[in-house]
Coordinates of all heavy atoms in Angstrom, one line a residue:
G290 N -89.0 73.7 -14.5 CA -88.5 74.7 -13.6 C -87.0 74.7 -13.6 O -86.4 75.7 -13.1
D291 N -86.3 73.7 -14.1 CA -84.9 73.6 -14.2 C -84.3 73.9 -15.6 O -83.2 73.5 -15.9 CB -84.5 72.2 -13.6 CG -83.0 72.2 -13.2 OD1 -82.5 73.2 -12.7 OD2 -82.3 71.2 -13.5
D292 N -85.2 74.4 -16.4 CA -84.8 74.6 -17.8 C -83.5 75.5 -17.9 O -83.4 76.5 -17.3 CB -86.0 75.4 -18.5 CG -85.7 75.9 -19.9 OD1 -84.6 75.6 -20.4 OD2 -86.6 76.5 -20.4
P293 N -82.5 75.0 -18.6 CA -81.2 75.7 -18.6 C -81.3 77.1 -19.2 O -80.5 78.0 -18.8 CB -80.3 74.8 -19.5 CG -81.2 73.9 -20.2 CD -82.5 73.7 -19.4
I294 N -82.2 77.3 -20.1 CA -82.3 78.6 -20.7 C -82.9 79.6 -19.7 O -82.4 80.7 -19.6 CB -83.2 78.5 -22.0 CG1 -82.5 77.6 -23.0 CG2 -83.4 79.9 -22.6 CD1 -83.1 77.5 -24.4
R295 N -83.9 79.1 -19.0 CA -84.5 80.0 -18.0 C -83.5 80.3 -16.9 O -83.5 81.4 -16.4 CB -85.7 79.2 -17.5 CG -86.5 80.0 -16.4 CD -87.8 79.3 -16.1 NE -88.1 79.6 -14.7 CZ -89.2 79.1 -14.2 NH1 -90.0 78.3 -14.9 NH2 -89.5 79.3 -13.0
R296 N -82.7 79.3 -16.5 CA -81.8 79.6 -15.5 C -80.7 80.6 -16.0 O -80.3 81.4 -15.2 CB -81.0 78.3 -15.1 CG -81.9 77.4 -14.2 CD -81.3 76.1 -13.9 NE -80.1 76.1 -13.1 CZ -79.5 75.0 -12.7 NH1 -79.9 73.8 -12.9 NH2 -78.3 75.1 -12.0
C297 N -80.3 80.5 -17.2 CA -79.3 81.4 -17.7 C -79.9 82.8 -17.8 O -79.3 83.8 -17.5 CB -78.9 80.9 -19.1 SG -77.5 81.8 -19.9
R298 N -81.2 82.9 -18.2 CA -81.9 84.2 -18.3 C -81.9 84.8 -16.9 O -81.6 86.0 -16.8 CB -83.2 83.9 -18.9 CG -84.0 85.2 -19.2 CD -85.4 85.0 -19.6 NE -86.2 86.2 -19.5 CZ -86.5 87.0 -20.5 NH1 -86.2 86.6 -21.8 NH2 -87.2 88.1 -20.4
D299 N -82.3 84.0 -15.9 CA -82.4 84.6 -14.6 C -81.0 85.1 -14.1 O -81.0 86.1 -13.5 CB -82.8 83.5 -13.6 CG -84.3 83.1 -13.8 OD1 -85.0 83.8 -14.6 OD2 -84.8 82.1 -13.2
L300 N -80.0 84.4 -14.5 CA -78.6 84.8 -14.1 C -78.3 86.1 -14.7 O -77.7 87.1 -14.1 CB -77.6 83.7 -14.5 CG -76.2 84.0 -14.1 CD1 -76.0 84.0 -12.5 CD2 -75.3 82.9 -14.7
L301 N -78.6 86.2 -16.0 CA -78.3 87.5 -16.7 C -79.1 88.6 -16.2 O -78.6 89.8 -16.1 CB -78.5 87.3 -18.3 CG -77.4 86.4 -19.0 CD1 -77.9 86.0 -20.3 CD2 -76.1 87.2 -19.1
A302 N -80.3 88.3 -15.9 CA -81.2 89.4 -15.3 C -80.6 89.9 -14.0 O -80.6 91.1 -13.7 CB -82.6 88.9 -15.1
L303 N -80.1 89.0 -13.2 CA -79.5 89.3 -11.9 C -78.3 90.2 -12.1 O -78.0 91.0 -11.3 CB -79.1 88.0 -11.3 CG -78.9 87.9 -9.8 CD1 -80.3 88.1 -9.1 CD2 -78.3 86.5 -9.4
H304 N -77.6 90.0 -13.3 CA -76.4 90.8 -13.6 C -76.7 92.0 -14.5 O -75.9 92.5 -15.2 CB -75.4 89.9 -14.1 CG -74.7 89.0 -13.1 ND1 -73.6 89.4 -12.4 CD2 -75.1 87.9 -12.5 CE1 -73.2 88.5 -11.6 NE2 -74.1 87.5 -11.6
G305 N -78.0 92.4 -14.5 CA -78.3 93.7 -15.1 C -78.9 93.7 -16.5 O -79.2 94.8 -17.0
L306 N -79.0 92.6 -17.1 CA -79.6 92.6 -18.4 C -81.1 92.8 -18.3 O -81.8 92.2 -17.5 CB -79.3 91.4 -19.2 CG -78.1 91.6 -20.1 CD1 -76.9 91.1 -19.3 CD2 -78.2 90.9 -21.4
S307 N -81.7 93.7 -19.2 CA -83.1 94.0 -19.1 C -83.9 92.9 -19.8 O -83.4 92.1 -20.6 CB -83.4 95.3 -19.8 OG -83.2 95.2 -21.1
A308 N -85.2 92.8 -19.4 CA -86.1 91.8 -20.0 C -86.2 92.1 -21.5 O -86.2 91.1 -22.3 CB -87.5 91.9 -19.4
A309 N -86.1 93.3 -21.9 CA -86.2 93.7 -23.3 C -85.0 93.1 -24.1 O -85.2 92.6 -25.2 CB -86.4 95.2 -23.5
E310 N -83.8 93.3 -23.5 CA -82.6 92.8 -24.2 C -82.7 91.3 -24.3 O -82.3 90.7 -25.4 CB -81.4 93.1 -23.4 CG -80.9 94.6 -23.5 CD -79.8 94.9 -22.5 OE1 -80.1 95.0 -21.2 OE2 -78.7 95.0 -22.9
L311 N -83.2 90.6 -23.3 CA -83.2 89.1 -23.3 C -84.3 88.6 -24.3 O -84.1 87.7 -25.0 CB -83.4 88.6 -21.9 CG -82.2 88.9 -21.0 CD1 -82.6 88.7 -19.5 CD2 -81.1 87.9 -21.3
D312 N -85.4 89.4 -24.3 CA -86.5 89.0 -25.2 C -86.0 89.1 -26.7 O -86.4 88.4 -27.5 CB -87.7 89.9 -25.0 CG -88.5 89.6 -23.7 OD1 -88.2 88.5 -23.1 OD2 -89.3 90.4 -23.3
Q313 N -85.1 90.1 -26.9 CA -84.7 90.4 -28.2 C -83.8 89.2 -28.7 O -83.9 88.8 -29.9 CB -83.8 91.7 -28.3 CG -83.5 92.1 -29.7 CD -84.8 92.4 -30.6 OE1 -85.7 93.0 -30.1 NE2 -84.8 91.8 -31.7
V314 N -83.0 88.6 -27.8 CA -82.2 87.5 -28.2 C -83.1 86.3 -28.6 O -82.8 85.7 -29.6 CB -81.3 87.0 -27.0 CG1 -80.6 85.7 -27.3 CG2 -80.3 88.1 -26.6
R315 N -84.1 86.1 -27.9 CA -85.1 85.0 -28.2 C -85.8 85.4 -29.6 O -85.9 84.5 -30.4 CB -86.1 84.9 -27.1 CG -87.4 84.2 -27.4 CD -87.4 82.8 -27.3 NE -88.7 82.2 -27.7 CZ -88.9 81.0 -28.1 NH1 -87.8 80.2 -28.2 NH2 -90.1 80.5 -28.4
A316 N -86.2 86.6 -29.7 CA -86.9 87.0 -31.0 C -86.0 86.8 -32.2 O -86.4 86.4 -33.2 CB -87.4 88.4 -30.8
D317 N -84.7 87.2 -32.0 CA -83.8 87.0 -33.2 C -83.6 85.5 -33.5 O -83.5 85.2 -34.7 CB -82.4 87.6 -32.8 CG -82.4 89.1 -32.7 OD1 -83.3 89.8 -33.1 OD2 -81.4 89.7 -32.1
A318 N -83.5 84.7 -32.5 CA -83.4 83.3 -32.7 C -84.6 82.7 -33.4 O -84.5 81.9 -34.4 CB -83.1 82.5 -31.4
V319 N -85.8 83.1 -33.0 CA -87.0 82.6 -33.6 C -87.1 83.1 -35.1 O -87.5 82.3 -36.0 CB -88.2 83.1 -32.8 CG1 -89.5 82.9 -33.5 CG2 -88.3 82.4 -31.4
A320 N -86.7 84.3 -35.3 CA -86.7 84.9 -36.7 C -85.7 84.1 -37.6 O -86.0 83.8 -38.7 CB -86.4 86.4 -36.7
E321 N -84.5 83.8 -37.0 CA -83.6 83.1 -37.8 C -84.1 81.7 -38.2 O -83.9 81.2 -39.3 CB -82.2 82.9 -37.0 CG -81.1 82.3 -37.8 CD -79.9 82.0 -36.9 OE1 -79.9 82.3 -35.7 OE2 -78.9 81.5 -37.5
A322 N -84.7 81.0 -37.2 CA -85.2 79.7 -37.5 C -86.4 79.7 -38.5 O -86.5 78.9 -39.4 CB -85.7 79.0 -36.2
A323 N -87.2 80.8 -38.4 CA -88.3 80.9 -39.3 C -87.8 81.2 -40.7 O -88.3 80.6 -41.7 CB -89.2 82.1 -38.9
A324 N -86.7 81.9 -40.8 CA -86.1 82.2 -42.2 C -85.5 80.9 -42.7 O -85.6 80.6 -43.9 CB -85.0 83.2 -42.1
A325 N -85.0 80.1 -41.8 CA -84.4 78.8 -42.3 C -85.5 77.8 -42.8 O -85.3 77.1 -43.8 CB -83.6 78.1 -41.1
V326 N -86.6 77.9 -42.1 CA -87.8 77.1 -42.6 C -88.2 77.6 -44.0 O -88.5 76.8 -44.9 CB -89.0 77.1 -41.6 CG1 -90.2 76.6 -42.2 CG2 -88.6 76.4 -40.3
A327 N -88.4 78.9 -44.1 CA -88.8 79.4 -45.4 C -87.9 79.1 -46.5 O -88.3 78.7 -47.6 CB -89.0 80.9 -45.3
D328 N -86.6 79.2 -46.2 CA -85.5 78.8 -47.2 C -85.6 77.3 -47.6 O -85.5 76.9 -48.7 CB -84.1 79.1 -46.6 CG -83.6 80.4 -46.9 OD1 -84.5 81.3 -47.1 OD2 -82.4 80.6 -47.1
G329 N -85.8 76.5 -46.5 CA -85.9 75.1 -46.7 C -87.1 74.7 -47.6 O -87.0 73.9 -48.5
L330 N -88.2 75.3 -47.3 CA -89.4 75.0 -48.1 C -89.3 75.5 -49.5 O -89.9 74.8 -50.5 CB -90.6 75.7 -47.4 CG -91.0 75.0 -46.1 CD1 -92.2 75.8 -45.5 CD2 -91.4 73.5 -46.3
A331 N -88.5 76.5 -49.7 CA -88.4 77.1 -51.1 C -87.3 76.3 -51.9 O -87.3 76.4 -53.1 CB -88.0 78.5 -51.0
A332 N -86.5 75.5 -51.2 CA -85.4 74.9 -51.9 C -85.9 73.6 -52.7 O -86.9 73.0 -52.3 CB -84.3 74.5 -50.9
P333 N -85.2 73.3 -53.7 CA -85.6 72.1 -54.5 C -85.3 70.8 -53.8 O -84.3 70.7 -53.1 CB -84.8 72.2 -55.8 CG -83.6 73.0 -55.4 CD -84.0 73.9 -54.3
H334 N -86.0 69.8 -54.1 CA -85.7 68.4 -53.7 C -84.5 68.0 -54.6 O -84.4 68.4 -55.7 CB -86.8 67.4 -53.8 CG -87.9 67.6 -52.7 ND1 -87.7 67.2 -51.4 CD2 -89.1 68.2 -52.8 CE1 -88.7 67.5 -50.7 NE2 -89.6 68.1 -51.4
P335 N -83.7 67.1 -54.1 CA -82.6 66.6 -55.0 C -83.1 65.8 -56.2 O -84.2 65.2 -56.1 CB -81.7 65.7 -54.1 CG -82.5 65.4 -52.9 CD -83.6 66.5 -52.8
D336 N -82.4 65.8 -57.3 CA -82.8 65.0 -58.4 C -82.8 63.5 -58.0 O -81.9 63.1 -57.3 CB -81.8 65.2 -59.6 CG -82.3 64.5 -60.8 OD1 -82.0 63.3 -61.0 OD2 -82.9 65.2 -61.6
P337 N -83.8 62.8 -58.4 CA -83.8 61.3 -57.9 C -82.6 60.6 -58.3 O -82.2 59.6 -57.5 CB -85.0 60.8 -58.7 CG -85.9 61.9 -59.0 CD -85.0 63.1 -59.1
S338 N -81.9 61.0 -59.3 CA -80.6 60.2 -59.7 C -79.6 60.4 -58.6 O -78.6 59.6 -58.5 CB -80.1 60.8 -61.0 OG -79.7 62.1 -60.9
Y339 N -79.7 61.4 -57.8 CA -78.7 61.6 -56.7 C -78.7 60.5 -55.7 O -77.7 60.2 -55.0 CB -79.0 62.9 -56.0 CG -78.0 63.3 -55.0 CD1 -76.7 63.5 -55.3 CD2 -78.4 63.4 -53.6 CE1 -75.7 63.8 -54.4 CE2 -77.4 63.6 -52.7 CZ -76.1 63.9 -53.0 OH -75.2 64.2 -52.1
A340 N -79.8 59.7 -55.7 CA -79.8 58.5 -54.8 C -78.7 57.5 -55.1 O -78.3 56.7 -54.2 CB -81.2 57.8 -54.9
W341 N -78.2 57.6 -56.3 CA -77.1 56.6 -56.7 C -75.7 57.2 -56.7 O -74.8 56.6 -57.1 CB -77.5 56.1 -58.1 CG -78.8 55.5 -58.1 CD1 -80.0 56.0 -58.5 CD2 -79.1 54.2 -57.6 NE1 -81.0 55.1 -58.3 CE2 -80.5 54.0 -57.7 CE3 -78.4 53.2 -56.9 CZ2 -81.2 52.8 -57.2 CZ3 -79.0 52.0 -56.5 CH2 -80.4 51.9 -56.7
T342 N -75.6 58.4 -56.2 CA -74.3 59.0 -56.0 C -73.8 58.8 -54.5 O -74.7 58.6 -53.6 CB -74.2 60.5 -56.3 OG1 -75.1 61.1 -55.4 CG2 -74.7 60.7 -57.7
D343 N -72.5 58.8 -54.3 CA -71.9 58.6 -53.0 C -72.2 57.3 -52.3 O -72.1 57.1 -51.1 CB -72.4 59.7 -52.0 CG -72.2 61.1 -52.5 OD1 -71.1 61.2 -53.2 OD2 -72.9 62.0 -52.2
V344 N -72.6 56.3 -53.1 CA -72.9 54.9 -52.5 C -71.7 54.1 -52.9 O -71.0 54.2 -53.9 CB -74.2 54.3 -53.0 CG1 -75.4 55.0 -52.4 CG2 -74.3 54.3 -54.5
Q345 N -71.4 53.1 -52.0 CA -70.2 52.4 -52.1 C -70.2 51.4 -53.3 O -69.2 51.2 -54.0 CB -69.9 51.6 -50.8 CG -68.5 51.3 -50.6 CD -68.2 50.9 -49.2 OE1 -69.1 50.7 -48.4 NE2 -67.0 50.7 -48.8
D346 N -71.3 50.7 -53.5 CA -71.3 49.7 -54.5 C -71.7 50.3 -55.8 O -72.8 50.7 -56.1 CB -72.4 48.6 -54.1 CG -72.3 47.4 -55.0 OD1 -71.9 47.6 -56.1 OD2 -72.7 46.3 -54.5
V347 N -70.7 50.4 -56.7 CA -71.0 51.0 -58.0 C -71.9 50.3 -58.9 O -72.3 50.8 -59.9 CB -69.6 51.3 -58.7 CG1 -68.8 52.3 -58.0 CG2 -68.8 50.0 -58.9
D348 N -72.2 49.0 -58.6 CA -73.1 48.2 -59.5 C -74.5 48.3 -59.0 O -75.3 47.4 -59.4 CB -72.6 46.8 -59.5 CG -71.2 46.7 -60.2 OD1 -71.0 47.5 -61.1 OD2 -70.4 45.9 -59.7
M349 N -74.9 49.2 -58.2 CA -76.2 49.2 -57.6 C -77.3 49.9 -58.4 O -78.4 49.8 -58.1 CB -76.2 49.8 -56.2 CG -75.7 48.9 -55.1 SD -75.6 49.6 -53.5 CE -77.3 50.0 -53.2
A350 N -76.9 50.6 -59.5 CA -77.9 51.3 -60.2 C -78.9 50.3 -60.9 O -78.6 49.3 -61.3 CB -77.2 52.1 -61.3
P351 N -80.2 50.7 -60.9 CA -81.2 49.9 -61.4 C -81.1 49.8 -62.9 O -80.5 50.7 -63.5 CB -82.5 50.6 -61.0 CG -82.2 52.0 -60.9 CD -80.7 52.0 -60.4

Side-chain angles (χ1 to χ4, degrees):
D291 197 37
D292 175 1
I294 299 186
R295 181 170 149 181
R296 281 173 68 174
C297 187
R298 184 185 167 105
D299 289 350
L300 182 65
L301 286 165
L303 204 66
H304 283 267
L306 268 91
S307 69
E310 285 170 287
L311 294 164
D312 288 347
Q313 190 60 49
V314 172
R315 159 89 182 153
D317 290 347
V319 169
E321 186 187 1
V326 168
D328 269 30
L330 289 177
H334 285 285
D336 188 275
S338 66
Y339 184 64
W341 300 102
T342 62
D343 303 328
V344 290
Q345 204 167 5
D346 189 333
V347 291
D348 294 325
M349 279 178 65

